Amino acid sequence: MLKKERCHYIIKKLAENQSVSTIDLAVELSVSEDSIRRDLQLLHDQGMLEKVYGGGIPVSGKNKNHFDIEILNEKKKIALGTKALSLLRDGQVIIMSGGTTNLVFSKLIPSELKATIYTYSLPIAMQLSQHPNIDLIFIGGKLQKNAMVTIGMDVVQVLSAIKADICFMGVSSINVESGLTEKGYEVSVVKKAMIQVSEKVVAMVDSGKLDTKMPHSVCELNQLYSIITDLNPKDPKLKDYISSVGFLI
């Protein structure tokens, strides 16, 4: 198993169990304990876990980011973001919307990944600015201060010139009948522009937002490539979504 794959596995195990053991990981992954220690040190250096004697634990204390943003249901969002890592490939052109789910996801992106990422989220841009191999393009415009994202026609015009391989779309509300919806009209317009220029659109859905609705439409479910949630795809809550989208992670 490659180092990148091992690191993904370690983060997934950490999200599930809240701790990982060097010895157990070495047995499960059929590698030496020294290899696991080096993996844990790399993840520690990236701020993705705390390396302790005998293994690793979640990063302690309040969530750390440039704007001291409170992240609700962070454990769910780590699990969700870990699933999304499977869709990343070197050389991709990626668009990321705002929201704390994508902020958590941006912290999980492996340091080896080489890609171009566009975002209109200031916190996500600041987080990705630390990534050694990401070509980061922040889309400027009018700043919506409560969400720390840019909005308006300047953002839409930049998006219209992009050809993206994949878009990771943070979701405010989703249900089978109405699809994705947003509280604010201007954000819904920006998200529609993202969808238009992306080959694949992946909805990043905290399960607490399932079966909810807001005033402004973003897209129908059949416009999505996939939905990623923190739930098991076989969960009964997702049955109708599978019928509408066909591909859940």
Side-chain angles (χ1 to χ4, degrees):
M1 182 180 286
L2 298 175
K3 187 179 189 71
K4 179 179 179 180
E5 295 172 322
R6 293 199 306 269
C7 288
H8 289 178
Y9 181 88
I10 291 169
I11 292 299
K12 181 179 178 182
K13 292 289 287 188
L14 186 63
E16 292 172 350
N17 302 323
Q18 295 301 294
S19 67
V20 289
S21 160
T22 302
I23 295 172
D24 291 345
L25 288 169
V27 172
E28 291 168 16
L29 299 175
S30 301
V31 296
S32 69
E33 290 181 33
D34 283 342
S35 293
I36 295 298
R37 290 189 188 97
R38 287 192 290 271
D39 294 341
L40 292 173
Q41 186 63 53
L42 173 63
L43 293 169
H44 175 89
D45 293 342
Q46 293 174 349
M48 297 169 68
L49 56 73
E50 283 191 23
K51 186 174 182 287
V52 297
Y53 182 78
I57 60 174
V59 177
S60 62
K62 194 174 180 181
N63 181 67
K64 297 176 183 177
N65 60 68
H66 292 275
F67 300 95
D68 202 23
I69 295 171
E70 181 181 6
I71 297 180
L72 301 176
N73 301 315
E74 186 171 8
K75 184 178 177 181
K76 283 185 178 182
K77 291 174 182 179
I78 291 172
L80 195 160
T82 301
K83 290 182 180 183
L85 292 175
S86 65
L87 297 175
L88 296 176
R89 304 286 185 273
D90 281 341
Q92 284 177 322
V93 176
I94 300 166
I95 303 176
M96 292 182 68
S97 76
T100 54
T101 297
N102 267 342
L103 179 57
V104 170
F105 176 43
S106 69
K107 296 177 69 174
L108 298 176
I109 295 175
S111 60
E112 319 90 80
L113 183 75
K114 298 178 181 179
T116 299
I117 298 183
Y118 289 82
T119 186
Y120 59 93
S121 165
L122 192 51
I124 290 173
M126 293 298 291
Q127 178 63 45
L128 291 174
S129 70
Q130 303 175 73
H131 195 291
N133 293 308
I134 293 295
D135 288 331
L136 172 66
I137 301 172
F138 176 65
I139 305 173
K142 177 184 175 183
L143 185 66
Q144 189 179 71
K145 294 180 181 178
N146 62 329
M148 298 301 286
V149 296
T150 53
I151 54 176
M153 288 309 300
D154 290 340
V155 179
V156 173
Q157 287 175 358
V158 172
L159 286 168
S160 68
I162 299 170
K163 291 184 178 179
D165 297 297
I166 192 164
C167 168
F168 292 98
M169 179 79 72
V171 173
S172 296
S173 294
I174 184 171
N175 68 50
V176 173
E177 292 77 21
S178 303
L180 272 58
T181 53
E182 275 290 334
K183 181 178 180 180
Y185 171 73
E186 290 180 300
V187 171
S188 74
V189 170
V190 170
K191 287 189 171 184
K192 285 178 181 178
M194 293 169 62
I195 292 167
Q196 289 296 317
V197 300
S198 300
E199 183 177 340
K200 297 177 181 177
V201 179
V202 178
M204 305 280 280
V205 183
D206 178 330
S207 57
K209 297 175 181 177
L210 292 169
D211 303 327
T212 63
K213 183 180 178 181
M214 290 186 177
H216 302 289
S217 174
V218 174
C219 72
E220 296 180 359
L221 294 186
N222 61 13
Q223 292 179 261
L224 301 175
Y225 170 73
S226 175
I227 295 174
I228 300 181
T229 80
D230 51 284
L231 301 176
N232 186 306
K234 295 181 181 179
D235 192 297
K237 294 178 183 177
L238 298 175
K239 181 179 178 182
D240 291 338
Y241 291 93
I242 292 174
S243 300
S244 299
V245 179
F247 181 39
L248 273 67
I249 297 177

